[in-house]
Amino acid sequence: MQQETGESDSARGLRSPVPEQRRIEKEAFQEGWRASASTIPAVLAWGVVSGMAMVKSGMSIFQSLGMSLLVYAGSAQFAVLPLLAVGTPLLVVFFTAMIVNLRFIIFSAAVAPHFEHLPWYRRIWYGFFNGDISMAFFPQRFPPSTFGQPAGKIGYFSAICYPGWLAWQLGATIGILLASQIPESWNIGFAGTLALIAIMIPMTSSLPALAGVVVSGTVAVLALELPYRLGLLLAMVLGMSAAMLADKLLPGKDEEEELAA
């Protein structure tokens, strides 16, 4: 009887981490949703603008829907649509999209160590949803000091990525189907920009973040005329560099964060 009891306790001990992990991921999902829910209106608005732009560039409804589902990158869509409209060779279109989206290499490098314990196909899956919104929230919640600590990361990442993807697809579908019915005087794109600014301001809560915003905004304006929207890439790289430099120059920051935690 003691042996049977021991085996039962051992089995329960092996099973007990599973419900605990599910609880942690569920709580992390709720935390991620509370943190990122305010971004949904902005993503929805930009999705509508993207859908309208695809149809007005000459793409059919099915082509537009396919592009929205497969090319989950608004900046790449806006960059290549004028090229597709004038019949630019596909190789040029491809490399233009690649250049505009080079920032995703940095995004992936920042997030990949958190998910290195997962099999490759799951990393590809999560990589598809990784983008600007996830990079705005995930590194703040899980800094590099949490590498090797997977608890809660999948739940939090899912909460800030999946709703945004659904909002983008919903907005894009609305824009695609109602492109001829939505007047340009509504300035939906401007409304989306205002929503993004409203999201960005509360997140600029530290000197490094402020330095990154000031540098990237200034460079983006000065480099506006660069071809293939390279100014955006340059602004992103220099803005991130400025933020990292400011972070390094602030003494005692890490110690204060550890004490606060």
Side-chain angles (χ1 to χ4, degrees), residues 147-163:
F147 288 165
Q149 304 172 20
K153 292 181 178 179
I154 292 178
Y156 192 88
F157 188 85
S158 300
I160 59 179
C161 290
Y162 293 166

PDB file of all heavy atoms in Angstrom, residues 147-163:
ATOM      1  N   PHE A 147      15.876  35.840 -19.809  1.00  0.00           N
ATOM      2  CA  PHE A 147      16.216  34.747 -20.722  1.00  0.00           C
ATOM      3  C   PHE A 147      16.317  33.449 -19.927  1.00  0.00           C
ATOM      4  O   PHE A 147      16.889  33.413 -18.833  1.00  0.00           O
ATOM      5  CB  PHE A 147      17.548  35.014 -21.418  1.00  0.00           C
ATOM      6  CG  PHE A 147      17.499  36.106 -22.459  1.00  0.00           C
ATOM      7  CD1 PHE A 147      18.683  36.660 -22.947  1.00  0.00           C
ATOM      8  CD2 PHE A 147      16.304  36.573 -22.953  1.00  0.00           C
ATOM      9  CE1 PHE A 147      18.653  37.668 -23.893  1.00  0.00           C
ATOM     10  CE2 PHE A 147      16.260  37.579 -23.903  1.00  0.00           C
ATOM     11  CZ  PHE A 147      17.445  38.120 -24.370  1.00  0.00           C
ATOM     12  N   GLY A 148      15.783  32.382 -20.506  1.00  0.00           N
ATOM     13  CA  GLY A 148      15.829  31.092 -19.824  1.00  0.00           C
ATOM     14  C   GLY A 148      14.730  30.896 -18.797  1.00  0.00           C
ATOM     15  O   GLY A 148      14.704  29.875 -18.116  1.00  0.00           O
ATOM     16  N   GLN A 149      13.811  31.864 -18.698  1.00  0.00           N
ATOM     17  CA  GLN A 149      12.678  31.761 -17.778  1.00  0.00           C
ATOM     18  C   GLN A 149      11.391  31.834 -18.601  1.00  0.00           C
ATOM     19  O   GLN A 149      10.845  32.913 -18.810  1.00  0.00           O
ATOM     20  CB  GLN A 149      12.721  32.881 -16.740  1.00  0.00           C
ATOM     21  CG  GLN A 149      14.013  32.947 -15.947  1.00  0.00           C
ATOM     22  CD  GLN A 149      14.095  34.182 -15.072  1.00  0.00           C
ATOM     23  OE1 GLN A 149      13.086  34.818 -14.758  1.00  0.00           O
ATOM     24  NE2 GLN A 149      15.308  34.543 -14.671  1.00  0.00           N
ATOM     25  N   PRO A 150      10.895  30.720 -19.111  1.00  0.00           N
ATOM     26  CA  PRO A 150       9.785  30.747 -20.076  1.00  0.00           C
ATOM     27  C   PRO A 150       8.418  31.020 -19.476  1.00  0.00           C
ATOM     28  O   PRO A 150       7.467  31.276 -20.219  1.00  0.00           O
ATOM     29  CB  PRO A 150       9.839  29.339 -20.690  1.00  0.00           C
ATOM     30  CG  PRO A 150      10.431  28.488 -19.620  1.00  0.00           C
ATOM     31  CD  PRO A 150      11.417  29.354 -18.896  1.00  0.00           C
ATOM     32  N   ALA A 151       8.280  30.981 -18.169  1.00  0.00           N
ATOM     33  CA  ALA A 151       6.954  31.084 -17.555  1.00  0.00           C
ATOM     34  C   ALA A 151       6.247  32.377 -17.955  1.00  0.00           C
ATOM     35  O   ALA A 151       6.782  33.474 -17.782  1.00  0.00           O
ATOM     36  CB  ALA A 151       7.080  31.008 -16.038  1.00  0.00           C
ATOM     37  N   GLY A 152       5.043  32.241 -18.477  1.00  0.00           N
ATOM     38  CA  GLY A 152       4.192  33.379 -18.802  1.00  0.00           C
ATOM     39  C   GLY A 152       4.459  34.040 -20.133  1.00  0.00           C
ATOM     40  O   GLY A 152       3.657  34.877 -20.569  1.00  0.00           O
ATOM     41  N   LYS A 153       5.516  33.683 -20.798  1.00  0.00           N
ATOM     42  CA  LYS A 153       5.885  34.412 -22.006  1.00  0.00           C
ATOM     43  C   LYS A 153       4.964  34.115 -23.184  1.00  0.00           C
ATOM     44  O   LYS A 153       4.605  35.017 -23.943  1.00  0.00           O
ATOM     45  CB  LYS A 153       7.342  34.114 -22.372  1.00  0.00           C
ATOM     46  CG  LYS A 153       8.332  34.688 -21.363  1.00  0.00           C
ATOM     47  CD  LYS A 153       9.763  34.403 -21.745  1.00  0.00           C
ATOM     48  CE  LYS A 153      10.721  35.041 -20.748  1.00  0.00           C
ATOM     49  NZ  LYS A 153      12.138  34.768 -21.066  1.00  0.00           N
ATOM     50  N   ILE A 154       4.581  32.860 -23.347  1.00  0.00           N
ATOM     51  CA  ILE A 154       3.694  32.518 -24.458  1.00  0.00           C
ATOM     52  C   ILE A 154       2.336  33.175 -24.270  1.00  0.00           C
ATOM     53  O   ILE A 154       1.755  33.727 -25.217  1.00  0.00           O
ATOM     54  CB  ILE A 154       3.564  30.986 -24.583  1.00  0.00           C
ATOM     55  CG1 ILE A 154       4.894  30.381 -25.023  1.00  0.00           C
ATOM     56  CG2 ILE A 154       2.457  30.620 -25.563  1.00  0.00           C
ATOM     57  CD1 ILE A 154       4.883  28.880 -25.126  1.00  0.00           C
ATOM     58  N   GLY A 155       1.810  33.121 -23.050  1.00  0.00           N
ATOM     59  CA  GLY A 155       0.516  33.744 -22.790  1.00  0.00           C
ATOM     60  C   GLY A 155       0.543  35.234 -23.027  1.00  0.00           C
ATOM     61  O   GLY A 155      -0.363  35.796 -23.662  1.00  0.00           O
ATOM     62  N   TYR A 156       1.582  35.905 -22.548  1.00  0.00           N
ATOM     63  CA  TYR A 156       1.685  37.362 -22.702  1.00  0.00           C
ATOM     64  C   TYR A 156       1.867  37.729 -24.169  1.00  0.00           C
ATOM     65  O   TYR A 156       1.210  38.651 -24.675  1.00  0.00           O
ATOM     66  CB  TYR A 156       2.853  37.880 -21.875  1.00  0.00           C
ATOM     67  CG  TYR A 156       2.887  39.375 -21.727  1.00  0.00           C
ATOM     68  CD1 TYR A 156       2.213  40.002 -20.691  1.00  0.00           C
ATOM     69  CD2 TYR A 156       3.595  40.169 -22.626  1.00  0.00           C
ATOM     70  CE1 TYR A 156       2.231  41.388 -20.550  1.00  0.00           C
ATOM     71  CE2 TYR A 156       3.618  41.548 -22.493  1.00  0.00           C
ATOM     72  CZ  TYR A 156       2.946  42.144 -21.451  1.00  0.00           C
ATOM     73  OH  TYR A 156       2.961  43.517 -21.321  1.00  0.00           O
ATOM     74  N   PHE A 157       2.741  37.014 -24.855  1.00  0.00           N
ATOM     75  CA  PHE A 157       3.000  37.293 -26.274  1.00  0.00           C
ATOM     76  C   PHE A 157       1.744  37.078 -27.101  1.00  0.00           C
ATOM     77  O   PHE A 157       1.428  37.873 -27.999  1.00  0.00           O
ATOM     78  CB  PHE A 157       4.137  36.402 -26.768  1.00  0.00           C
ATOM     79  CG  PHE A 157       4.615  36.733 -28.152  1.00  0.00           C
ATOM     80  CD1 PHE A 157       5.560  37.727 -28.356  1.00  0.00           C
ATOM     81  CD2 PHE A 157       4.137  36.053 -29.254  1.00  0.00           C
ATOM     82  CE1 PHE A 157       6.012  38.040 -29.634  1.00  0.00           C
ATOM     83  CE2 PHE A 157       4.577  36.345 -30.542  1.00  0.00           C
ATOM     84  CZ  PHE A 157       5.517  37.347 -30.720  1.00  0.00           C
ATOM     85  N   SER A 158       1.007  36.010 -26.806  1.00  0.00           N
ATOM     86  CA  SER A 158      -0.224  35.724 -27.548  1.00  0.00           C
ATOM     87  C   SER A 158      -1.244  36.830 -27.350  1.00  0.00           C
ATOM     88  O   SER A 158      -1.955  37.215 -28.287  1.00  0.00           O
ATOM     89  CB  SER A 158      -0.810  34.380 -27.096  1.00  0.00           C
ATOM     90  OG  SER A 158       0.101  33.319 -27.332  1.00  0.00           O
ATOM     91  N   ALA A 159      -1.326  37.372 -26.136  1.00  0.00           N
ATOM     92  CA  ALA A 159      -2.324  38.391 -25.839  1.00  0.00           C
ATOM     93  C   ALA A 159      -2.044  39.695 -26.557  1.00  0.00           C
ATOM     94  O   ALA A 159      -2.985  40.433 -26.896  1.00  0.00           O
ATOM     95  CB  ALA A 159      -2.390  38.633 -24.332  1.00  0.00           C
ATOM     96  N   ILE A 160      -0.769  40.006 -26.789  1.00  0.00           N
ATOM     97  CA  ILE A 160      -0.462  41.272 -27.463  1.00  0.00           C
ATOM     98  C   ILE A 160      -0.349  41.112 -28.975  1.00  0.00           C
ATOM     99  O   ILE A 160      -0.258  42.114 -29.685  1.00  0.00           O
ATOM    100  CB  ILE A 160       0.840  41.897 -26.913  1.00  0.00           C
ATOM    101  CG1 ILE A 160       2.025  40.953 -27.102  1.00  0.00           C
ATOM    102  CG2 ILE A 160       0.688  42.269 -25.457  1.00  0.00           C
ATOM    103  CD1 ILE A 160       3.351  41.519 -26.603  1.00  0.00           C
ATOM    104  N   CYS A 161      -0.377  39.884 -29.466  1.00  0.00           N
ATOM    105  CA  CYS A 161      -0.230  39.656 -30.914  1.00  0.00           C
ATOM    106  C   CYS A 161      -1.532  39.207 -31.579  1.00  0.00           C
ATOM    107  O   CYS A 161      -1.925  39.780 -32.609  1.00  0.00           O
ATOM    108  CB  CYS A 161       0.863  38.615 -31.169  1.00  0.00           C
ATOM    109  SG  CYS A 161       2.530  39.196 -30.817  1.00  0.00           S
ATOM    110  N   TYR A 162      -2.201  38.203 -31.044  1.00  0.00           N
ATOM    111  CA  TYR A 162      -3.385  37.654 -31.705  1.00  0.00           C
ATOM    112  C   TYR A 162      -4.513  38.671 -31.846  1.00  0.00           C
ATOM    113  O   TYR A 162      -5.086  38.813 -32.939  1.00  0.00           O
ATOM    114  CB  TYR A 162      -3.879  36.408 -30.968  1.00  0.00           C
ATOM    115  CG  TYR A 162      -2.940  35.229 -31.042  1.00  0.00           C
ATOM    116  CD1 TYR A 162      -3.089  34.135 -30.203  1.00  0.00           C
ATOM    117  CD2 TYR A 162      -1.880  35.201 -31.954  1.00  0.00           C
ATOM    118  CE1 TYR A 162      -2.226  33.052 -30.264  1.00  0.00           C
ATOM    119  CE2 TYR A 162      -1.016  34.131 -32.024  1.00  0.00           C
ATOM    120  CZ  TYR A 162      -1.190  33.051 -31.178  1.00  0.00           C
ATOM    121  OH  TYR A 162      -0.338  31.983 -31.237  1.00  0.00           O
ATOM    122  N   PRO A 163      -4.902  39.405 -30.786  1.00  0.00           N
ATOM    123  CA  PRO A 163      -5.972  40.396 -30.972  1.00  0.00           C
ATOM    124  C   PRO A 163      -5.608  41.470 -31.993  1.00  0.00           C
ATOM    125  O   PRO A 163      -6.465  41.922 -32.754  1.00  0.00           O
ATOM    126  CB  PRO A 163      -6.141  40.998 -29.566  1.00  0.00           C
ATOM    127  CG  PRO A 163      -5.646  39.941 -28.639  1.00  0.00           C
ATOM    128  CD  PRO A 163      -4.503  39.298 -29.367  1.00  0.00           C
TER     129      PRO A 163
END
